[in-house]
């Protein structure tokens, strides 16, 4: 199953990458491969912007705009004019996680 | 059965000022890999609703089997279902389980929020004095916990190296046997039909609440006539009430279950296609004798309702991104609003034609 194309905000700064392989280890959608001691984004459209790679990149080579990805939270954020909040975090029942 | 563990601290004597204050003995809980009936019932109740919100275990250190200084150290969340899934898969192994306080939320969601996070992990490693407990310096963190963890900071602060375990707890024994190496299959998230089905009650139950509002409005609208509130015309609402149920099931059940087989990549479009197919089928087969304005309103409203409900499922999937959902909403929300307003207008047209 694939989601929308050309929307993922994932960015890799090649100059900072040391090829340690952490990003490939944590990515749940096999977006990265390590080629010639550098990480390469081989499948950007598979990125779900979970943020695992950027969080675990010791060298700051990865950036991705991650956040709560459920529609009801985003709509709630638009109405209330704040950051989208997942319903379950404030103790209310919610389908988002 | 709780057992008490006291760390032996080399000390120069109780009277001496160089002696660190005695530490409180750790409370350690031993757990079994076996599930009881109440564990199984708990899983079912979690899948159905708000029961999940209070389904927790106490954060802290747990022992499974007979772990020692060289036993593996696994990290989990304090959502009881996450913890139960983990211990079930550790049959035959002896290990330590460190449960983080994630406010009763599962590993992946809690990692997204940061409660399954670097600070909490560092704090628990220190509080439980894990460097005194085990001789190695490896802590196995579930891969789906990675969005909340900065492995390099955990190492810097505690000396423990984070090894990311497999996505699924069932692969943990194989992962350990392979020398803490996961195959590419263990590293990727599958989202099979069964995974999708178990998530649908949490789509259907909120949708059912909205359906109730819809049903009351419809009965009220058709119940009112020029002769007052007689409910003589309420029978006209029945096909619409059935179509309402059909659209909820299209968006909340059929779309998630048939996800890979419905055309399109946007959930709004998949849900709309499913809703249109079921609405058309119902209108053709049902022979409901709806007036033209009502038939048109049905064709506008119910596929869009299905689309909206299907779009909510993005929050439960394992592969949709926030940028993608934002893009969908940008296009879909105006369509939903226009669709709802034109449906209301058509209802009024129908009512006006009837009154003439």
């Amino acid at each position: 199953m694939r989601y929308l194309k050309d929307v993922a905000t994932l960015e890799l700064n090649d100059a900072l990458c040391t090829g340690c392989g952490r990003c490939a280890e944590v990515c749940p959608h096999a977006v990265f491969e390590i080629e010639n001691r550098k990480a390469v984004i081989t499948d950007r459209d598979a990125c779900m912007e979970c943020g695992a790679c950027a969080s675990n990149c010791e060298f700051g080579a990865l950036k991705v705009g991650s956040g709560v990805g459920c529609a009801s939270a985003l709509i709630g954020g638009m109405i209330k004019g704040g950051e989208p909040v997942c319903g379950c975090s404030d103790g209310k029942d919610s389908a988002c996680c | 059965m709780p057992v008490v563990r006291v760390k032996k601290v080399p000390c120069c004597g109780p009277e001496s000022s160089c002696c660190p204050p005695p530490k409180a003995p750790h409370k350690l809980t031993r757990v079994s890999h076996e599930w009881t009936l109440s564990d199984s019932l708990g899983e079912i109740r979690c899948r159905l609703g708000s029961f999940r919100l209070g389904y927790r275990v106490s954060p802290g250190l747990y022992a499974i089997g007979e772990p020692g200084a060289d036993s593996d150290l696994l990290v989990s969340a304090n959502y009881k279902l996450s913890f139960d899934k983990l211990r079930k898969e550790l049959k035959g192994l002896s290990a330590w389980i460190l449960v983080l306080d994630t406010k009763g939320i599962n590993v992946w969601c809690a990692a997204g929020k940061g409660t399954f996070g670097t600070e909490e992990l560092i704090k628990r490693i220190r509080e439980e004095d894990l460097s005194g407990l085990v001789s190695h310096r490896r802590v196995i963190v579930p891969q789906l916990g990675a969005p909340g963890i900065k492995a390099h900071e955990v190492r810097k602060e505690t000396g423990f190296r984070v090894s990311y375990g497999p996505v699924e707890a069932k692969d943990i024994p194989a992962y350990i046997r392979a020398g803490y190496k996961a195959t590419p299959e263990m590293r990727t998230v599958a989202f099979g039909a069964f995974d999708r089905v178990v998530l649908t009650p949490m789509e259907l139950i909120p949708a059912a609440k909205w359906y109730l509002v819809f049903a009351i409005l419809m009965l009220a609208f058709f119940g009112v006539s020029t002769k007052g509130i007689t409910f003589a015309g309420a029978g006209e609402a029945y096909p619409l009430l059935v179509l309402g149920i059909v659209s909820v099931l299209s968006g909340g059940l059929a779309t998630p279950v048939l996800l890979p087989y419905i055309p399109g990549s946007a959930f709004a479009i998949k849900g709309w296609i499913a809703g249109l197919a079921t609405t058309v089928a119902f209108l053709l087969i049902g022979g409901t004798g709806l007036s033209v304005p009502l038939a048109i309103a049905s064709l506008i409203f119910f596929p869009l309702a299905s689309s909206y409900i299907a779009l909510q499922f993005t929050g439960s999937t394992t592969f949709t991104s926030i940028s993608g959902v934002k893009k969908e909403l940008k296009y879909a929300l105006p369509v939903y609003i226009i669709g709802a307003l034109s449906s209301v207008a058509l209802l009024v047209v129908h009512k006006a034609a009837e009154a003439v």
Side-chain angles (χ1 to χ4, degrees), chain B residues 11-241:
Chain B
C11 179
C12 42
E15 305 299 319
S16 162
S17 60
C18 75
C19 190
K23 281 195 175 178
H26 286 235
K27 262 187 144 181
L28 175 68
T29 313
R30 233 167 251 290
V31 290
S32 161
H33 61 81
E34 270 173 51
W35 276 31
T36 62
L37 181 65
S38 93
D39 294 331
S40 304
L41 288 176
E43 171 166 19
I44 295 168
R45 293 179 69 189
C46 281
R47 299 292 186 196
L48 294 178
S50 54
F51 175 75
R52 60 173 64 189
L53 295 170
Y55 202 54
R56 300 179 183 196
V57 289
S58 296
L61 190 63
Y62 292 79
I64 189 158
E66 295 292 333
D70 53 355
S71 296
D72 286 313
L73 190 58
L74 298 137
V75 181
S76 188
N78 81 322
Y79 178 39
K80 188 171 179 297
L81 189 54
S82 302
F83 179 73
D84 281 357
K85 294 261 173 193
L86 172 62
R87 64 183 177 87
K88 190 183 193 177
E89 302 300 341
L90 296 179
K91 191 177 178 178
L93 294 176
S94 287
W96 303 104
I97 302 176
L98 181 66
V99 173
L100 303 189
D101 184 5
T102 60
K103 317 290 173 203
I105 304 292
N106 71 73
V107 171
W108 208 4
C109 282
K113 290 178 209 299
T115 46
F116 187 101
T118 312
E119 263 178 51
E120 168 71 5
L121 179 56
I122 292 170
K123 189 185 115 191
R124 295 277 163 197
I125 289 175
R126 286 188 181 144
E127 266 180 16
E128 300 297 334
D129 192 22
L130 297 188
S131 43
L133 176 77
V134 291
S135 52
H136 60 80
R137 287 292 174 268
R138 173 187 286 112
V139 57
I140 302 173
V141 175
Q143 188 190 330
L144 295 185
I149 303 286
K150 292 181 186 296
H152 46 283
E153 279 190 14
V154 175
R155 188 173 202 186
K156 205 166 68 187
E157 294 292 324
T158 67
F160 276 85
R161 195 188 139 74
V162 172
S163 290
Y164 285 108
V167 165
E168 303 250 3
K170 69 172 170 55
D171 293 323
I172 289 171
Y175 164 82
I176 292 173
R177 274 199 306 275
Y180 309 98
K181 289 208 162 44
T183 63
E185 290 72 40
M186 289 181 197
R187 286 259 173 258
T188 45
V189 174
F191 197 45
F194 181 76
D195 297 331
R196 301 195 299 272
V197 169
V198 297
L199 296 170
T200 57
M202 291 308 295
E203 304 299 316
L204 293 170
I205 292 164
K209 289 173 190 163
W210 284 108
Y211 175 76
L212 220 73
V213 175
F214 164 80
I216 291 166
L217 286 176
M218 285 300 108
L219 286 172
F221 183 83
F222 287 97
V224 177
S225 72
T226 44
K227 290 170 193 134
I229 307 169
T230 60
F231 285 99
E236 280 189 292
Y238 294 157
L240 301 181
L241 296 185

Side-chain angles (χ1 to χ4, degrees), chain B residues 255-290:
Chain B
T255 307
V257 172
L258 301 174
L259 203 59
Y261 312 107
I262 302 173
S265 58
F267 280 53
I269 291 183
K270 282 176 183 282
W272 183 79
I273 291 172
L276 184 68
T278 52
T279 305
V280 168
F282 180 80
L283 290 177
L284 289 179
I285 300 163
T288 53
L290 288 177

Side-chain angles (χ1 to χ4, degrees), chain A residues 26-67:
Chain A
V26 297
C27 179
H29 290 289
V31 166
F32 302 95
E33 272 178 33
I34 307 298
E35 288 170 9
N36 302 322
R37 299 178 159 236
K38 289 276 184 190
V40 183
I41 298 172
T42 52
D43 193 1
R44 177 188 300 275
D45 286 338
C47 175
M48 61 171 295
E49 301 179 322
C50 72
C53 55
S55 170
N56 282 279
C57 182
E58 195 174 346
F59 311 98
L62 281 159
K63 265 190 201 158
V64 61
S66 55

Side-chain angles (χ1 to χ4, degrees), chain B residues 258-327:
Chain B
L258 301 174
L259 203 59
Y261 312 107
I262 302 173
S265 58
F267 280 53
I269 291 183
K270 282 176 183 282
W272 183 79
I273 291 172
L276 184 68
T278 52
T279 305
V280 168
F282 180 80
L283 290 177
L284 289 179
I285 300 163
T288 53
L290 288 177
S291 71
V292 174
L294 285 186
I296 297 171
S298 297
L299 284 169
I300 293 173
F301 185 79
F302 294 110
L304 289 182
S306 169
S307 164
Y308 181 81
I309 296 164
L311 189 49
Q312 304 302 314
F313 193 62
T314 50
S316 296
T317 68
T318 58
F319 64 99
T320 55
S321 60
I322 183 167
S323 301
V325 177
K326 276 184 183 164
K327 188 178 176 185

